[in-house]
Amino acid sequence: MRIVTARFDHPDARKLSDIVQAEYAVRYGGEGDVTPLDPAMFDPPQGLYLLGYEADGSPVASGGWRAMDTSAEENYADGDAEIKRMFVMLHARGRGLSRLLLARLEESAREAGRTRMVLETGDQQPEAIALYVSSGYTLLPESRKFGCYRAEPSSRCFVKAL
């Protein structure tokens, strides 16, 4: 897989985002993830968005991080980098692509001075939970959850020191 830096509003990023949103809608109902995201949130040095391409040039993976700092209402802390839109197309899963993207995102956030990687996923995404736990992420207790879905019972928030 060839990994490139892209804007969150790049046509291939939008294409993969639409696919993952449809997958979220199937798993959870509703319209998918409604977290407000602006493409500028992922612009370096305050973030990064990556796209992964097959040898034939087709996009198969995406993921990004955005800088988040202390927010009493959403439970972020200074130095947080939040992972958003980690996704690998169904036909490309099982080849370690998400682990490769995750490592690149962590490295980039560390280089940008971020001290903790945070992410939110849901209980209907066991493969994502398995990836994060096996990559050293710790599940937060209910009282410390963060982000748009912190009050949802199905939400799972994870952290990892960088």
Side-chain angles (χ1 to χ4, degrees):
M1 178 174 71
R2 180 175 56 96
I3 298 175
V4 301
T5 299
R7 290 230 352 140
F8 183 64
D9 57 359
H10 183 282
D12 290 337
R14 285 196 314 262
K15 174 183 177 181
L16 292 178
S17 184
D18 289 347
I19 294 168
V20 74
Q21 290 286 49
E23 188 170 317
Y24 292 157
V26 168
R27 291 183 189 219
Y28 298 100
E31 60 187 291
D33 185 351
V34 297
T35 304
L37 296 176
D38 183 302
M41 293 175 168
F42 298 96
D43 290 345
Q46 294 300 308
L48 181 72
Y49 203 78
L50 300 174
L51 291 172
Y53 290 91
E54 293 276 30
D56 67 2
S58 59
V60 293
S62 66
W65 69 266
R66 62 181 181 157
M68 299 300 285
D69 289 308
T70 298
S71 166
E73 67 218 24
E74 290 195 9
N75 291 335
Y76 292 104
D78 284 348
D80 282 354
E82 182 180 27
I83 292 177
K84 296 303 292 179
R85 297 298 190 269
M86 278 284 295
F87 178 68
V88 175
M89 296 282 287
L90 184 59
H91 72 274
R93 293 179 187 169
R95 297 188 293 177
L97 304 180
S98 58
R99 196 168 301 280
L100 181 59
L101 272 179
L102 183 60
R104 296 258 181 108
L105 292 171
E106 291 173 350
E107 179 183 347
S108 167
R110 189 178 307 108
E111 289 172 355
R114 298 277 108 189
T115 57
R116 184 174 83 151
M117 192 65 91
V118 301
L119 63 95
E120 185 273 334
T121 190
D123 63 1
Q124 298 302 305
Q125 294 169 263
E127 61 285 302
I129 291 170
L131 167 69
Y132 298 128
V133 169
S134 70
S135 297
Y137 285 77
T138 303
L139 178 66
L140 287 176
E142 289 290 316
S143 63
R144 301 213 25 237
K145 287 170 41 173
F146 52 83
C148 185
Y149 292 99
R150 66 192 173 283
E152 294 293 325
S154 63
S155 171
R156 302 293 181 265
C157 292
F158 291 86
V159 298
K160 179 180 179 178
L162 293 174

